[in-house]
Amino acid sequence: MPARTSAKASKPRKPYELFYWPGIPGRGEYVRLALEEAGAPYIDVARERDTGMEEMTALLEGEGTKRPSFAPPFLRDGRVIVGQVAAILFYLGPRLRLAPKSEAGALWTHQIELTTTDFVAEAHDVHHPVGVGLYYEDQKKEALRRAEEFRTARIPKFLDWFEAVMDMNGATKRAPHLVGKSLTYADLSLFHTVDGLAYAFPKTMGRLLRSRPLVSSLHAAVKKRPNIKAYLKSDRRQPFNENGLFRHYKELDK
């Protein structure tokens, strides 16, 4: 499968290589969305190469690098290998024109991304509150308790913070951005997080988004962006499922 390009890519370049588990959007999706929005050429290695899983495993075990990532996703750009979603996006942001040019703006965007990372971790821990090595069925009682707090306290707290950040940024329903006046990777990440939560907790998010108009507008606006819209309709976009970060168990959503 050839690396993707779009009209936004200014000149041919060696594709970025994204390493992540096939079959789930997961944390790798945050990186994919940035690459897709920018029209940057990239290869989703474990999905697109016959030897992709072996390559990823070798790098995780330190073969060919003295700086192995703890877990996917990680990105290879020539000799540079960087792991952790927030670090990958901090690296890609200026290269894809998805981050402010000023140091203060870049750091603020990174801080927002780290907060999104915290939000995502809490979403995951709802269905795995005891241990990641256990099946959901082994911890359903604990998950029910964790889900109640997540729905009633944690989701509102995070959404209120994002809403306040956008308000202080001067965002409007027509121009909903977390940082500055143009799209950043932080906007893309919040879009995907809201999308994932709407899949996992449709009743809860339906209620909460009605009183967070800026967050809701950002989610709708990102979905309509030409490159994102095309990506979401393509087979490159993997659907949410009960093996990923965001899982829908109807008993956890009220």
Side-chain angles (χ1 to χ4, degrees), residues 3 46 77 98 139 154 170:
D77 180 21
L98 289 173
Q139 48 196 318
R154 301 304 291 169

Side-chain angles (χ1 to χ4, degrees), residues 21-40:
W21 309 112
I24 56 173
R27 291 179 174 85
E29 194 70 5
Y30 290 93
V31 183
R32 289 189 199 98
L33 284 169
L35 293 165
E36 291 281 351
E37 166 61 26

Side-chain angles (χ1 to χ4, degrees), residues 35-90:
L35 293 165
E36 291 281 351
E37 166 61 26
Y42 75 97
I43 298 170
D44 205 336
V45 177
R47 294 180 68 196
E48 297 181 23
R49 288 181 185 160
D50 292 339
T51 59
M53 283 296 295
E54 289 81 358
E55 290 181 56
M56 184 168 73
T57 300
L59 286 168
L60 287 171
E61 293 176 350
E63 295 182 25
T65 178
K66 294 182 179 179
R67 298 172 180 174
S69 295
F70 178 75
F74 54 93
L75 183 90
R76 183 162 60 190
D77 180 21
R79 295 182 179 181
V80 175
I81 299 178
V82 56
Q84 295 286 355
V85 170
I88 296 169
L89 293 174
F90 187 69

Side-chain angles (χ1 to χ4, degrees), residues 154-169:
R154 301 304 291 169
I155 297 179
K157 185 170 184 176
F158 276 104
L159 291 182
D160 284 345
W161 184 81
F162 287 114
E163 189 80 8
V165 166
M166 295 176 73
D167 184 56
M168 288 184 284
N169 186 47

Side-chain angles (χ1 to χ4, degrees), residues 16-243:
Y16 294 103
E17 294 174 295
L18 173 64
F19 294 82
Y20 195 68
W21 309 112
I24 56 173
R27 291 179 174 85
E29 194 70 5
Y30 290 93
V31 183
R32 289 189 199 98
L33 284 169
L35 293 165
E36 291 281 351
E37 166 61 26
Y42 75 97
I43 298 170
D44 205 336
V45 177
R47 294 180 68 196
E48 297 181 23
R49 288 181 185 160
D50 292 339
T51 59
M53 283 296 295
E54 289 81 358
E55 290 181 56
M56 184 168 73
T57 300
L59 286 168
L60 287 171
E61 293 176 350
E63 295 182 25
T65 178
K66 294 182 179 179
R67 298 172 180 174
S69 295
F70 178 75
F74 54 93
L75 183 90
R76 183 162 60 190
D77 180 21
R79 295 182 179 181
V80 175
I81 299 178
V82 56
Q84 295 286 355
V85 170
I88 296 169
L89 293 174
F90 187 69
Y91 175 79
L92 285 176
R95 290 165 174 80
L96 302 182
R97 298 183 179 181
L98 289 173
K101 294 181 179 180
S102 71
E103 182 179 42
L107 287 172
W108 174 229
T109 307
H110 184 51
Q111 180 180 328
I112 294 171
E113 186 66 34
L114 289 169
T115 303
T116 301
T117 298
D118 291 341
F119 195 8
V120 172
E122 291 197 27
H124 171 272
D125 288 350
V126 168
H127 51 76
H128 276 74
V130 178
V132 295
L134 300 174
Y135 290 108
Y136 167 68
E137 289 73 19
D138 299 324
Q139 48 196 318
K140 290 180 70 172
K141 182 178 179 180
E142 294 85 356
L144 283 169
R145 292 186 63 190
R146 187 66 174 265
E148 182 177 4
E149 183 193 20
F150 187 63
R151 292 193 315 268
T152 60
R154 301 304 291 169
I155 297 179
K157 185 170 184 176
F158 276 104
L159 291 182
D160 284 345
W161 184 81
F162 287 114
E163 189 80 8
V165 166
M166 295 176 73
D167 184 56
M168 288 184 284
N169 186 47
T172 66
K173 290 183 180 180
R174 291 188 176 184
H177 297 299
L178 287 159
V179 182
K181 303 300 181 184
S182 59
L183 187 82
T184 66
Y185 64 78
D187 295 326
L188 295 170
S189 291
L190 181 56
F191 157 77
H192 182 61
T193 301
V194 170
D195 219 40
L197 290 171
Y199 168 81
F201 303 95
K203 294 179 181 178
T204 300
M205 291 299 288
R207 291 193 303 270
L208 293 177
L209 287 176
R210 284 196 291 270
S211 57
R212 279 82 177 178
L214 294 177
V215 172
S216 182
S217 296
L218 181 149
H219 178 260
V222 170
K223 187 176 288 188
K224 293 177 182 177
R225 294 184 66 85
N227 282 3
I228 297 299
K229 184 177 181 180
Y231 169 63
L232 295 178
K233 291 181 178 180
S234 75
D235 59 6
R236 301 191 300 280
R237 168 73 164 188
Q238 299 171 96
F240 293 111
N241 59 61
E242 276 50 75
N243 293 312

